Amino acid sequence: MKNKKIKLALILLVLMTIGFSFTTLNKITVKGSDTMVILSQKWAEVYMKKHPETSIQVTGGGSGVGLAALINGSTDIANSSRPIKSSEVEKLKEKYQSSGIEIACAKDGLSVFLNKGNKVSELTIQQLGDIFSGKITNWKQVGGKDAIIQLYGRESSSGTFDFFKEHVVKTDFSPKCNTLPGTAAIVNAIKKDVNGIGYGGAAYAEGVKDCKVKKDANTAGVFPTEKTIKDHTYPITRYLYMYLKEKPKGETKAFVDWILSAEGQKLVVETGYFPIK
């Protein structure tokens, strides 16, 4: 017995010598919307610097993937760039006897990206819907040059895909739409394709140009800016959400409260999105 105690004491001494910490980390997992990954990683990075006892893991995969992970219990927070579906709420109820908690944490203008060499600079919602559904296939049909329009969009698990389909396309996407795994990939494709058009979070519009969007043929085109998104004059505006199974507690609540604080919302602006107030 004495030898065992001596061995245990030596092991503890070695562990402390190499810097091993016996402090239990507060672990928070965040998964979902690719649109929100950069923002969530920034939130996590700043929060962990202030709270080194907390570990926050952020991964993407799409809004649908995040909400599926929430339902199966493999994430604490599901990021989503679209509202939760009734079918997902029912699954939460079935498994946890809870409809879940929805927390709006930022606003976003869903940008329409064009190559800088494209002379088209504004489109109506109707034209965008016709372009992405395949009814309009040539740029000359909307005032551009005689060239086939190349479509770039998100995968069906993406909240951005769902939102754009519901609010702009309003039918099925053209089968010729190139499906890419994230907004950054869409932007990179359009940088190289003068005939390309795509959509995604406003924060990603680097190296391409934003298309002015018109509600209809009789209104002026509008860029996605802080002002136009705040006052809803930009036609494609949405909230970004965090979903939880139940009201947050402990360190998860502290993290969520901090995100909604002035400091957390300042990071929203610095990342290229817009605060909820």
Side-chain angles (χ1 to χ4, degrees):
M1 180 64 73
K2 186 177 179 181
N3 287 339
K4 285 183 178 178
K5 286 183 178 179
I6 291 171
K7 285 180 180 178
L8 180 59
L10 287 171
I11 290 168
L12 292 172
L13 180 62
V14 170
L15 289 172
M16 287 187 285
T17 301
I18 63 174
F20 184 87
S21 172
F22 290 94
T23 304
T24 301
L25 282 175
N26 299 306
K27 293 182 181 178
I28 301 171
T29 53
V30 182
K31 187 174 183 66
S33 169
D34 287 311
T35 297
M36 296 172 66
V37 164
I38 293 174
L39 175 57
S40 285
Q41 286 175 339
K42 191 66 177 176
W43 276 331
E45 177 188 336
V46 174
Y47 189 84
M48 285 190 291
K49 282 182 181 177
K50 292 176 173 291
H51 303 272
E53 74 284 359
T54 300
S55 170
I56 304 171
Q57 180 184 12
V58 177
T59 55
S63 300
V65 170
L67 287 161
L70 185 71
I71 292 163
N72 69 32
S74 61
T75 192
D76 299 308
I77 298 172
N79 281 342
S80 182
S81 58
R82 55 140 172 105
I84 191 169
K85 296 176 181 177
S86 58
S87 59
E88 292 162 334
V89 171
E90 287 306 310
K91 288 177 183 176
L92 280 172
K93 282 183 182 177
E94 184 180 335
K95 191 162 185 180
Y96 303 105
Q97 293 73 55
S98 167
S99 300
I101 301 295
E102 176 184 274
I103 300 170
C105 54
K107 281 183 180 177
D108 182 27
L110 203 56
S111 293
V112 174
F113 307 122
L114 299 173
N115 184 281
K116 289 183 176 181
N118 193 330
K119 73 175 187 177
V120 172
S121 59
E122 62 179 29
L123 294 164
T124 66
I125 291 286
Q126 182 66 53
Q127 286 173 322
L128 287 169
D130 288 345
I131 286 170
F132 278 93
S133 66
K135 291 179 183 176
I136 292 175
T137 58
N138 194 298
W139 282 112
K140 70 181 179 181
Q141 294 173 266
V142 289
K145 66 178 182 179
D146 185 3
I148 299 299
I149 298 172
Q150 299 298 323
L151 305 175
Y152 297 94
R154 293 294 310 279
E155 66 277 32
S156 60
S157 63
S158 159
T160 301
F161 170 96
D162 281 336
F163 189 90
F164 199 78
K165 181 179 180 180
E166 180 180 350
H167 294 273
V168 178
V169 184
K170 300 175 183 176
T171 184
D172 291 331
F173 278 85
S174 166
K176 293 183 179 179
C177 185
N178 297 288
T179 301
L180 298 176
T183 304
I186 290 173
V187 168
N188 285 334
I190 293 168
K191 280 182 192 176
K192 302 170 187 173
D193 188 349
V194 70
N195 297 314
I197 184 171
Y199 58 89
Y204 287 85
E206 187 175 334
V208 293
K209 71 176 184 179
D210 276 322
C211 178
K212 285 185 180 180
V213 179
K214 304 168 68 170
K215 288 182 180 178
D216 54 53
N218 300 317
T219 57
V222 180
F223 282 121
T225 66
E226 182 173 0
K227 180 181 181 301
T228 62
I229 288 168
K230 188 173 182 179
D231 64 18
H232 287 269
T233 53
Y234 183 69
I236 321 173
T237 300
R238 62 180 176 172
Y239 282 99
L240 303 177
Y241 301 97
M242 296 182 292
Y243 286 97
L244 299 92
K245 293 192 292 287
E246 57 186 6
K247 285 185 179 180
K249 299 180 229 176
E251 197 62 26
T252 301
K253 182 181 187 304
F255 179 50
V256 169
D257 288 346
W258 178 81
I259 285 172
L260 301 177
S261 73
E263 187 176 6
Q265 291 293 293
K266 183 182 177 185
L267 292 175
V268 171
V269 178
E270 289 178 5
T271 312
Y273 294 103
F274 309 95
I276 53 174
K277 295 179 182 178

